[in-house]
Amino acid sequence: MINTVLFDMGGTLEDIYIDETSKQESAQGVLRILRAHGLGPDLDIPAAIRLLAEGWDRYAAYRGPTNRELKPEEIWGNYVLTETGLDFDAVRPFAEELAHMWEVTHYHRRLRPHVKEMLEGLKGLGMKLGVISNTAALYQVFRTLEDYGIRDYFQDVTLSSVTGYRKPDPNIFLVSLNQVRSTPEQCAYVGDTYSRDVIGPQKLGFGATFHIHSFLTQSRDGDVPKEVRATYTIQDIYEVYTILRDQALQGAC
């Protein structure tokens, strides 16, 4: 019987997407932070966008095959900003400032419709709730949950930036399971990518997986075999509650 529901953050609890405006604003944000610390490189916005994209590609080449997440000072100092002449020691004092700004500016974010009603319904069923998120910032997810007014629903928030492991690595899921004190078969996982949010939980023997489409789905799932399927494919996040409510009612009969 499912008694725990764990959620992905970006693309699942919240809608998330990138466009030319967000690319420009995040590049401006990086330059603003660097210059505030007396380190601003002489770059215009188009050049900064290209440099940052190349830097993130370098980091992706590391984290993709390893499913490991480095700390913000390592990401920005050893990968993203290396072509500016900056390094780990130079960016360490303000690396989290860069990381947080990037997460909330490079991505447009908004809470999905019906999330609060869904969480309230699951709470009424007595479900334990948690978040497992891949993120390159230490605190952004916590603060964003607070901003959305839903932080108090979750007994646990497990982040790749804290654990050092990225989904679908089993360790990030196991950290959360230990925090909420649930076994895999008692858990459902809800996410927007098959590569991270379905394959990972299924390999650990989760009781159910839910998949909901997002802007990120196609870009993250290009190499996923077609036979990979979630237990449930949903269009509205509220369906997580209605499906588990109906299961609970059937179990009580």
Side-chain angles (χ1 to χ4, degrees):
M1 178 68 72
I2 301 296
N3 65 16
T4 303
V5 187
L6 305 174
F7 295 87
D8 172 54
M9 183 67 173
T12 302
L13 290 173
E14 55 184 356
D15 285 317
I16 182 172
Y17 67 95
I18 303 166
D19 62 12
E20 291 305 314
T21 298
S22 67
K23 290 178 183 178
Q24 292 177 12
E25 290 178 349
S26 56
Q28 290 170 339
V30 170
L31 294 177
R32 181 180 66 251
I33 291 170
L34 293 179
R35 289 166 183 165
H37 292 273
L39 298 170
D42 186 17
L43 294 171
D44 60 19
I45 296 303
I49 291 172
R50 289 194 298 272
L51 180 145
L52 290 163
E54 291 167 0
W56 280 107
D57 285 345
R58 283 192 295 273
Y59 182 51
Y62 162 78
R63 73 182 183 185
T66 63
N67 288 325
R68 298 300 303 272
E69 194 83 82
L70 300 177
K71 298 305 181 191
E73 55 266 35
E74 297 174 288
I75 297 170
W76 288 88
N78 295 342
Y79 290 91
V80 179
L81 293 177
T82 52
E83 293 304 309
T84 67
L86 301 177
D87 59 16
F88 176 93
D89 291 328
V91 304
R92 179 169 53 182
F94 55 90
E96 177 60 20
E97 182 183 2
L98 282 169
H100 186 278
M101 181 283 303
W102 187 266
E103 291 289 340
V104 300
T105 308
H106 188 66
Y107 303 94
H108 294 285
R109 298 175 179 272
R110 66 173 183 177
L111 190 66
R112 274 189 189 266
H114 309 136
V115 165
K116 290 185 180 179
E117 296 91 333
M118 179 266 301
L119 294 173
E120 192 65 31
L122 293 175
K123 180 181 176 182
L125 294 176
M127 297 285 178
K128 293 182 282 186
L129 304 176
V131 172
I132 306 176
S133 178
N134 286 350
T135 176
L138 293 172
Y139 310 118
Q140 174 266 323
V141 171
F142 296 104
R143 292 173 181 169
T144 300
L145 291 171
E146 291 279 1
D147 291 342
Y148 290 147
I150 59 173
R151 174 68 181 89
D152 290 343
Y153 285 103
F154 300 106
Q155 285 76 58
D156 176 62
V157 177
T158 295
L159 307 178
S160 63
S161 56
V162 176
T163 66
Y165 295 99
R166 291 175 56 81
K167 296 177 295 181
D169 190 284
N171 284 293
I172 190 169
F173 295 101
L174 291 171
V175 169
S176 183
L177 290 174
N178 277 282
Q179 293 280 51
V180 296
R181 298 183 179 181
S182 297
T183 60
E185 60 271 18
Q186 294 172 319
C187 291
Y189 193 78
V190 186
D192 64 315
T193 64
Y194 293 101
S195 56
R196 301 171 181 181
D197 303 320
V198 174
I199 289 175
Q202 286 183 347
K203 284 185 175 179
L204 279 174
F206 272 47
T209 52
F210 289 79
H211 180 267
I212 188 167
H213 187 82
S214 83
F215 172 87
L216 300 177
T217 300
Q218 186 172 357
S219 64
R220 300 292 192 267
D221 288 342
D223 297 330
V224 174
K226 291 184 178 180
E227 61 268 21
V228 174
R229 290 289 183 269
T231 314
Y232 304 102
T233 298
I234 59 175
Q235 304 301 317
D236 188 312
I237 198 78
Y238 191 72
E239 293 176 68
V240 176
Y241 163 63
T242 59
I243 289 170
L244 293 177
R245 177 201 63 196
D246 292 348
Q247 284 188 357
L249 290 172
Q250 291 171 6
C253 294

